[in-house]
Amino acid sequence: MRKHIEIRWHGRGGQGAKTASLLLADVAFNTGMYVQGFPEYGPERMGAPITAFNRLGDTEIRAHSNIYYPDFVVVVDETLLHSVDVTRGLSKDGAIVINTSRPKEEIISLLKGYEGKVYTIDARAISMETLGKYFPNSPMLAAIVKVAGIMDKDTFLSQMEASYKHKFAKKPEVIEGNMKALERAFSEVQ
């Protein structure tokens, strides 16, 4: 991993972008990385656009601001491509990961000339098939971990399982579905 990786998440209230950024910070911290995971607060409400951020690295992180020039962007809801400049400040040496069932060629035309790498994943289908409900944050979390090379698959999955066992101690039935969603997303991101 590079010295620091900066990630910006775009989603809608209730889709779990904030939760995913905090989970990523938690599992990365547990592997010895320096981390930050935080949302940008405003008038958030169910369905409203939200932004969350991660900084991850092997050395101490001294910056404490929003991320204006991310290495990676995660778009949890593709409808935001029409209303939010998700590629603003995104390095062409980085990448964007978008939750969509549409072909990548259709999505690229919505990215305002972005010249970097574009990855897609159908987080809706994965979450519906593994969880029975639309919770795109687990598949999107696995996708960005793979694309950004944050940690290897086995480490990520074992850390996430431990995190889910803690988080869902009173609802252990949701752990298996979330683990399946993570595994599928790791292999299906394109």
Side-chain angles (χ1 to χ4, degrees), residues 28-61:
F29 177 80
N30 288 337
T31 65
M33 290 183 207
Y34 291 87
V35 301
Q36 291 179 353
F38 56 97
E40 178 180 61
Y41 283 107
E44 279 77 24
R45 62 196 178 284
M46 187 69 76
I50 67 103
T51 309
F53 306 93
N54 284 110
R55 281 190 182 93
L56 311 165
D58 297 327
T59 60
E60 186 176 348
I61 300 169

Side-chain angles (χ1 to χ4, degrees), residues 22 51 56 74 94 105 123 130 132 134 150 152 157 170:
L22 297 177
T51 309
L56 311 165
V74 180
E105 297 72 35
T130 59
Y134 182 46
I150 295 168
D152 68 73
L157 293 175
K170 296 187 180 191

Side-chain angles (χ1 to χ4, degrees), residues 3-181:
K3 186 175 178 183
H4 289 128
I5 292 176
E6 294 186 327
I7 302 168
R8 186 173 64 218
W9 297 76
H10 292 280
R12 293 191 181 277
Q15 292 179 325
K18 173 186 152 190
T19 300
S21 75
L22 297 177
L23 278 169
L24 178 55
D26 186 45
V27 299
F29 177 80
N30 288 337
T31 65
M33 290 183 207
Y34 291 87
V35 301
Q36 291 179 353
F38 56 97
E40 178 180 61
Y41 283 107
E44 279 77 24
R45 62 196 178 284
M46 187 69 76
I50 67 103
T51 309
F53 306 93
N54 284 110
R55 281 190 182 93
L56 311 165
D58 297 327
T59 60
E60 186 176 348
I61 300 169
R62 296 185 184 270
H64 295 283
S65 64
N66 286 354
I67 294 171
Y68 301 102
Y69 300 99
D71 301 300
F72 300 93
V73 167
V74 180
V75 181
V76 180
D77 187 322
E78 75 173 288
T79 65
L80 292 170
L81 299 176
H82 301 286
S83 59
V84 176
D85 184 3
V86 297
T87 60
R88 179 180 31 90
L90 178 58
S91 167
K92 71 177 182 179
D93 296 327
I96 186 167
V97 181
I98 303 167
N99 173 15
T100 184
S101 61
R102 295 165 52 187
K104 192 183 298 189
E105 297 72 35
E106 284 183 33
I107 297 299
I108 289 173
S109 66
L110 301 172
L111 299 180
K112 302 184 180 198
Y114 176 65
E115 297 175 355
K117 294 177 183 165
V118 177
Y119 294 85
T120 60
I121 184 164
D122 191 348
R124 174 180 296 277
I126 291 170
S127 65
M128 293 301 292
E129 292 167 19
T130 59
L131 301 166
K133 294 182 180 177
Y134 182 46
F135 294 119
N137 58 340
S138 284
M140 297 306 292
L141 175 56
I144 191 58
V145 167
K146 180 178 181 180
V147 166
I150 295 168
M151 64 185 74
D152 68 73
K153 180 180 177 180
D154 292 337
T155 301
F156 172 68
L157 293 175
S158 68
Q159 289 296 318
M160 285 303 299
E161 186 170 26
S163 180
Y164 284 154
K165 283 180 179 177
H166 176 74
K167 181 177 177 155
F168 298 122
K170 296 187 180 191
K171 294 194 266 181
E173 67 278 3
V174 303
I175 296 170
E176 183 180 348
N178 273 287
M179 292 305 298
K180 285 180 182 175

